[in-house]
Each structure stands twice: as C-alpha cells, then as structure tokens.
Amino acid sequence: MKPELKKDVMYRCIGTDFTNGILACGFMTKPIKEQSQYNFLIDYYSCFILLSGSGFYYTTDNRKIPIDVGDCVQRIPGVRHSTEVFPDGNWLEFFISFGRSTYDYLCSLNLLPIDTPVRRVKYDDSLMHRFTRLFEQLKIAEDTELPYLSLKAQEIVLSTLQPIQKSSSSNSLKELMEQGCLLLSSDINTTISLEEVAVTLNMSYENFRKQFRKFSGTSPAQYRIKQKMKHAKLMLLSGISIKETAELVGYSDTYSFTKQFTKTVGISPGRYKQEEQ
C-alpha cells in the first residue's frame, strides 16, 4: 500500500517540560533535498518509518547507511546524525516522539534496540492502521488522556522495532500468540471481544484460549485485565485521579475499577498511590 503524500503532524506535551513531556507523531513529507537534516541533534527520543521514497542516514562518524521503504530510523537523544533525502518528491515518513525520561526508562530495561540506528521492520496495512489510529487519537485527546497515549506510542515503537523472524510452524504459532498479546494490550479504554481477537488471528476461540494460556500462563481475559491494571498503575503514579484512571482504562464507574484493581494488585488504588509515590 502506497500512502497519500500529505503532511499532517501533531505535537502535544505532558506537563510543561517539553524535553521529558513531548508526545508527537504524524506524517511528514520531504519532497526536496533541501529538507534533508544535517548534523541534526535533539534532546528527546524520536523514530520514523519510511513509507515512501529513499535516502541515506549518516552516523556521527559519517558512516553512510541507505534508507528505503520499510526502514525505521531512530533519533537517539544527544546523538548527532544526518538524514539525506533523495529528491524525487516521494519521501513520506511516519514519526513518533516521546520524552527523554521515557527513553531513559525504556533503555534501563533494555527494551529499545539502539545498537543500530536503521532497522528493517515489518511494514504492512496493519501497522499503518495503528499509526493512523494513534495520530487521530492524539489530535482529539484531552490532556488527562496523554499519559495513556504515551504508553500506546511506546507500545507501537517497541513492537515495531522487534526483528522480523523467519516462519516455521512453531514460530508461526508463537507469532500468533504475540499478536494476540498485542491486541489484548491495545485500546485499553475500550471493551474488546475475545472472540473477535480469535477471528483476527484466524483461530477458533477455544483453540485460541487453549494456545494463549499455554503461551502466556494465563487466560486471554485475565491477561487483558492485567494489562489494564498495569496501565492504571502508571496513570495513578503520574498523578491522574482514581476516577479519571478508571475511565481511561475502560471502567464505567470507580467502584468496579477499585474492586478489580484491589483484586489484581492486592491493595486499593488510593493506598497504591500513597505507598508508591
């Protein structure tokens, strides 16, 4: 699928510290060579996937790396680099940016593969749909929803940067279960049908439930709840109220959320905020 060449970007900020609070994404066109970026340096993390066009990436020591459709380029905070646009008018990228403190946290857990600045990734219609959905949500989100969208942006970046593995029967099942985990971790504020997840993976529900439990050690329903509570903990620690957190992770009332949080985490949301902050 070749996307339409159209620039459309959105920059938001969690709090007032732009370096640590930036949350941005969008489609960026660079039709002429003059839009290349030489000796480029930023204080926060950003990466882009080239959707159309080609060019080159230059490392700090001036090593030249070709960039083509399906390549992901990481902009590491504090690392000077250059990206050169091939001037055929076709350059279109989708970028995601988040704060320096978020980048440092992900690196501390060895989750960001920063060993190579340019990586080939699995680029398909499904990934484009996730890009577009994140972008549209960022456009209309209330400020209180930005921490949730930051988690979603991180999720997209981390899952996109995973290396492509060759298929085998065992790997294919593993990849299906990993995709199931991803689907169950997405759109935490919505109600998701487990039967629809199974259909998306082209599996019967019973087989999906059986294989998922074998893969993850828990049922799809319990995995979904744990993902909701994981996001809820991060939101509570970021200062979001219990009521707002309940809404952001898909609960219609605070009582139901508090009951589930206490059951899953072991303590109430209020006590969790007090003990962890």
Side-chain angles (χ1 to χ4, degrees), residues 18-228:
F18 187 79
T19 296
N20 289 315
I22 181 176
L23 179 58
C25 68
F27 297 90
M28 181 76 73
T29 58
K30 296 176 181 177
I32 57 176
K33 189 172 183 178
E34 284 68 25
Q35 290 181 295
S36 301
Q37 293 172 307
Y38 297 104
N39 294 315
F40 192 64
L41 186 70
I42 55 176
D43 294 329
Y44 53 86
Y45 175 85
S46 186
C47 69
F48 70 82
I49 293 180
L50 193 60
L51 307 178
S52 178
S54 60
F56 294 97
Y57 176 96
Y58 293 85
T59 63
T60 303
D61 57 1
N62 212 34
R63 183 163 54 93
K64 185 177 182 180
I65 304 174
I67 308 172
D68 210 339
V69 173
D71 284 334
C72 181
V73 176
Q74 297 189 85
R75 302 186 187 277
I76 308 302
V79 175
R80 197 174 299 277
H81 64 281
S82 301
T83 50
E84 186 174 75
V85 175
F86 187 78
D88 58 2
N90 287 326
W91 183 287
L92 175 67
E93 65 182 62
F94 184 86
F95 76 92
I96 294 177
S97 302
F98 48 72
R100 176 63 181 263
S101 57
T102 300
Y103 163 80
D104 289 339
Y105 171 72
L106 295 176
C107 285
S108 72
L109 298 177
N110 294 318
L111 294 178
L112 270 176
I114 59 174
D115 53 321
T116 53
V118 180
R119 300 174 68 92
R120 172 67 57 174
V121 299
K122 187 177 180 181
Y123 160 51
D124 55 19
D125 287 354
S126 173
L127 186 58
M128 280 296 299
H129 174 74
R130 297 178 70 200
F131 288 163
T132 303
R133 184 167 176 77
L134 173 66
F135 179 56
E136 294 300 328
Q137 288 179 316
L138 188 60
K139 277 184 174 180
I140 63 174
E142 301 289 339
D143 287 347
T144 54
E145 297 176 292
L146 293 181
Y148 160 72
L149 288 181
S150 176
L151 293 172
K152 188 169 185 178
Q154 294 167 49
E155 174 194 13
I156 292 174
V157 169
L158 294 179
S159 62
T160 300
L161 285 171
Q162 295 304 314
I164 301 171
Q165 303 195 0
K166 296 184 178 181
S167 297
S168 68
S169 57
S170 60
N171 278 343
S172 295
L173 181 59
K174 179 175 179 288
E175 288 172 2
L176 280 176
M177 293 303 100
E178 288 174 345
Q179 187 178 351
C181 288
L182 185 60
L183 291 170
L184 292 170
S185 302
S186 302
D187 297 330
I188 293 298
N189 62 329
T190 63
T191 300
I192 190 170
S193 165
L194 300 179
E195 288 78 7
E196 288 179 4
V197 173
V199 169
T200 301
L201 301 177
N202 199 26
M203 301 175 71
S204 70
Y205 174 65
E206 287 304 320
N207 188 36
F208 166 61
R209 188 172 64 171
K210 176 183 175 182
Q211 297 297 337
F212 189 89
R213 180 179 286 277
K214 187 184 298 184
F215 175 77
S216 68
T218 189
S219 70
Q222 284 300 312
Y223 184 88
R224 176 73 172 173
I225 290 171
K226 287 180 180 179
Q227 294 304 303
K228 283 176 175 282

